């Protein structure tokens, strides 16, 4: 994931059944694997970045929603994009906190999160540009577009940091 490289062991490999882990390793890591929530993710850089993204998306949505609209299609697109991004970021945040990625190993979670950020950032950038162009100096619409651009920048930072961690993890694991 984006907060460090971890090896996830499954019960079966291509070479036959996996050997049981040594008793010393199982007893020393049992406390961290048995916890329901990952308390360290709250304080990690990736966790705080996700919270900042969600807050900026929510402020942008509320600013546009409570303003008089001049162009229905532009601002409805902006609202849909901000809410979809907010829900997906919240989904990945909850997934990291409750360590769902350890239980569902059939999904490449770093790739899924990277693709979400790639597509969501492009759509958010388009929505923010259109919202800024159609704002006509109405303060709520300008504020919504500004927070949309802020969320776009935060999404780019998050996407870059997760890609950077993935590349470093792959190159050092050899």
């Amino acid at each position: 994931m984006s907060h460090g490289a971890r090896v996830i062991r499954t019960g079966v490999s291509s070479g036959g059944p996996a050997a049981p882990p040594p008793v010393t390793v199982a007893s020393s890591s049992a406390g961290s694997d048995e916890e329901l929530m990952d308390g360290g993710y709250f304080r990690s850089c990736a966790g705080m970045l996700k919270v900042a993204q969600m807050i900026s998306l929510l402020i942008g949505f509320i600013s546009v929603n409570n303003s008089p609209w001049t162009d229905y299609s532009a601002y409805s697109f902006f609202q849909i994009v901000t809410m979809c991004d907010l829900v997906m970021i919240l989904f990945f945040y909850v997934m990291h906190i409750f360590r769902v990625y350890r239980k569902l190993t059939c999904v490449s979670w770093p790739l899924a999160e990277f693709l979400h950020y790639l597509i969501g950032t492009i759509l958010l950038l388009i929505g923010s540009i259109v919202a800024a162009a159609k704002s006509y100096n109405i303060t709520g619409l300008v504020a919504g577009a500004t927070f949309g651009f802020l969320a776009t920048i935060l999404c780019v930072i998050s996407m870059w940091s997760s890609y950077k961690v993935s590349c470093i993890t792959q190159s050092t694991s050899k």
Side-chain angles (χ1 to χ4, degrees):
M1 295 287 109
S2 61
H3 59 277
R6 293 196 177 143
V7 177
I8 300 173
R9 297 187 187 270
T10 58
V12 180
S13 67
S14 60
V23 176
T24 58
V25 172
S27 64
S28 66
S29 66
S32 63
D33 287 341
E34 294 298 322
E35 293 176 3
L36 179 63
M37 295 176 65
D38 186 8
Y41 192 73
F42 290 115
R43 294 175 300 277
S44 71
C45 183
M48 287 189 273
L49 194 57
K50 280 187 182 18
V51 170
Q53 291 166 2
M54 288 187 287
I55 290 171
S56 64
L57 285 169
L58 187 63
I59 292 173
F61 175 80
I62 291 171
S63 297
V64 167
N65 194 38
N66 292 333
S67 297
W69 291 6
T70 55
D71 189 0
Y72 181 76
S73 62
Y75 290 107
S76 62
F77 176 75
F78 181 80
Q79 285 185 323
I80 290 170
V81 168
T82 55
M83 279 297 104
C84 287
D85 272 355
L86 178 69
V87 167
M88 287 304 296
I89 292 169
L90 181 64
F91 170 77
F92 283 114
Y93 188 71
V94 169
M95 183 199 65
H96 282 289
I97 289 175
F98 290 109
R99 299 177 181 174
V100 175
Y101 59 89
R102 290 186 180 181
K103 295 169 183 62
L104 296 174
T105 58
C106 60
V107 177
S108 175
W109 291 109
L111 179 63
E113 192 169 2
F114 178 76
L115 288 176
H116 158 258
Y117 277 119
L118 182 68
I119 295 167
T121 303
I122 291 170
L123 291 175
L124 189 60
L125 179 64
I126 291 169
S128 297
I129 289 172
V130 171
K134 304 277 184 170
S135 67
Y136 302 112
N137 292 331
I138 299 173
T139 56
L141 301 179
V142 172
T146 303
F147 279 102
F149 284 122
L150 177 65
T152 302
I153 292 169
L154 292 172
C155 287
V156 167
I157 291 170
S158 184
M159 183 173 53
W160 178 76
S161 67
S162 70
Y163 180 70
K164 185 181 96 175
V165 168
S166 297
C167 289
I168 291 171
T169 305
Q170 290 177 359
S171 65
T172 58
S173 65
K174 291 182 181 181

